[in-house]
């Protein structure tokens, strides 16, 4: 399954919505050929567990860790900018 389509279906499932071709297409970040979208939605409808297995098999970093590290980087950049401005 195309990663972009998988992510779109995952977003819909997280929102509690049933993936359809139109909803999945509206959630895509980048253009994907319609046959790929149709195949992915059909795969989900025929075997909903397949998408959950894909979700479990993907290693996802902890969102709180990534948010914290991103915040740390932003603070560090801000400190450097303030130091430059004070000169």
């Amino acid at each position: 399954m195309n990663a972009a389509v998988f992510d779109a279906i995952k977003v819909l499932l997280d929102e509690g919505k049933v993936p359809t071709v139109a909803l999945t297409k509206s959630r895509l970040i980048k253009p994907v050929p319609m046959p790929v979208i149709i195949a992915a939605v059909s795969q989900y409808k025929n075997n909903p567990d397949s998408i959950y297995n894909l979700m479990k098999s993907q290693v996802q970093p902890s969102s709180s860790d990534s948010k914290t590290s991103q915040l740390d980087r932003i603070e560090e950049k801000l400190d450097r900018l303030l130091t430059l401005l004070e000169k």
Side-chain angles (χ1 to χ4, degrees):
M1 182 182 305
N2 185 300
V5 178
F6 169 74
D7 291 340
I9 291 174
K10 183 175 174 258
V11 167
L12 289 169
L13 292 173
D14 290 344
E15 293 174 358
K17 297 180 180 176
V18 176
T20 63
V21 173
L23 283 174
T24 303
K25 184 175 171 80
S26 70
R27 296 298 194 283
L28 289 174
I29 297 170
K30 57 184 178 182
V32 175
M34 189 62 77
V36 174
I37 300 168
I38 293 169
V41 172
S42 295
Q43 178 183 345
Y44 169 76
K45 287 185 178 183
N46 290 332
N47 185 6
D49 293 333
S50 67
I51 196 85
Y52 294 114
N53 292 337
L54 284 173
M55 279 193 256
K56 289 177 185 175
S57 68
Q58 282 193 341
V59 177
Q60 297 177 352
S62 173
S63 62
S64 63
D65 291 341
S66 65
K67 287 180 183 177
T68 303
S69 63
Q70 183 179 12
L71 181 59
D72 290 340
R73 288 192 309 266
I74 292 170
E75 287 177 346
E76 187 177 312
K77 286 180 183 179
L78 182 58
D79 288 340
R80 279 188 263 150
L81 287 172
L82 288 173
T83 303
L84 288 172
L85 286 173
E86 289 174 354
K87 289 183 179 181

